[in-house]
Amino acid sequence: MKYITEAGLKKLKEELHQLETFERPSISKQIAEARDKGDLSENAEYDAAKEAQGLLEMRIAKLQDTVANSRIIDESRIDTSKVQLLNKVKIKNLKNKASMTYTLVPESEANLKEGKISISTPIAKGLLGKEVGDQVEIQVPNGLMTFEIVEISI
């Protein structure tokens, strides 16, 4: 079971539709064209198209599974007294005083450029369940870092 926002599920369904409706027929056409060129044993275009088809089908199957096994999170019931999924959390690095704001999201919606980090990252795991004012030590790839939770919002 995966938890996902309504917007995240819509995005996955759109991608799945795109792959099934446009990408799949396009690859089938490429395979047919390559097959028409004769000897398949030395046909690099055919091999490449078959490999692309395999990767596409794996992606489609993964999306279908995610869509089928996802539960939409009721965003109206999100609490901000403690850090949890879908909270926007402002933290301050106590060593260099730098502040950062992250939104904790399901893995499928993570996007660092947008400040959305997966709930399964070390930082998110370290923040879960904590409150404003708490100091948290989090093991990151370059060592142990201490953060203070400045603000929790939606």
Side-chain angles (χ1 to χ4, degrees):
M1 181 69 60
K2 292 184 178 185
Y3 290 93
I4 194 164
T5 62
E6 205 163 333
L9 185 61
K10 182 175 185 254
K11 192 173 164 189
L12 290 178
K13 284 180 176 178
E14 286 169 358
E15 182 182 355
L16 183 59
H17 177 73
Q18 169 72 22
L19 295 177
E20 290 176 331
T21 310
F22 301 105
E23 302 293 326
R24 186 183 269 162
S26 170
I27 287 183
S28 294
K29 186 177 170 202
Q30 289 172 22
I31 290 170
E33 287 172 1
R35 194 181 302 124
D36 291 345
K37 291 181 181 171
D39 186 7
L40 296 181
S41 65
E42 294 178 18
N43 189 330
E45 284 178 48
Y46 178 79
D47 292 341
K50 285 299 279 182
E51 185 173 333
Q53 182 184 41
L55 294 172
L56 176 71
E57 292 303 327
M58 274 184 0
R59 179 73 183 137
I60 288 172
K62 187 175 190 306
L63 282 171
Q64 287 172 331
D65 181 63
T66 301
V67 167
N69 294 306
S70 291
R71 280 185 64 185
I72 293 178
I73 300 161
D74 182 353
E75 296 181 51
S76 68
R77 299 184 63 188
I78 295 172
D79 179 18
T80 57
S81 64
K82 290 182 169 53
V83 177
Q84 63 179 2
L85 185 64
L86 294 185
N87 281 154
K88 186 179 273 190
V89 184
K90 184 174 183 178
I91 56 175
K92 182 167 70 178
N93 180 329
L94 294 181
K95 189 173 184 183
N96 65 12
K97 306 295 182 217
S99 287
M100 296 151 273
T101 302
Y102 295 115
T103 302
L104 278 52
V105 297
E107 217 166 284
S108 61
E109 297 179 41
N111 182 337
L112 201 53
K113 286 183 186 143
E114 295 176 8
K116 296 177 178 179
I117 61 171
S118 165
I119 198 84
S120 61
T121 61
I123 290 177
K125 285 180 179 175
L127 296 174
L128 283 174
K130 303 296 188 276
E131 300 176 7
V132 171
D134 285 356
Q135 291 188 3
V136 198
E137 285 191 341
I138 299 174
Q139 185 68 46
V140 292
N142 56 351
L144 198 61
M145 297 180 79
T146 305
F147 297 100
E148 180 181 343
I149 298 177
V150 179
E151 185 182 349
I152 302 170
S153 60
I154 296 177

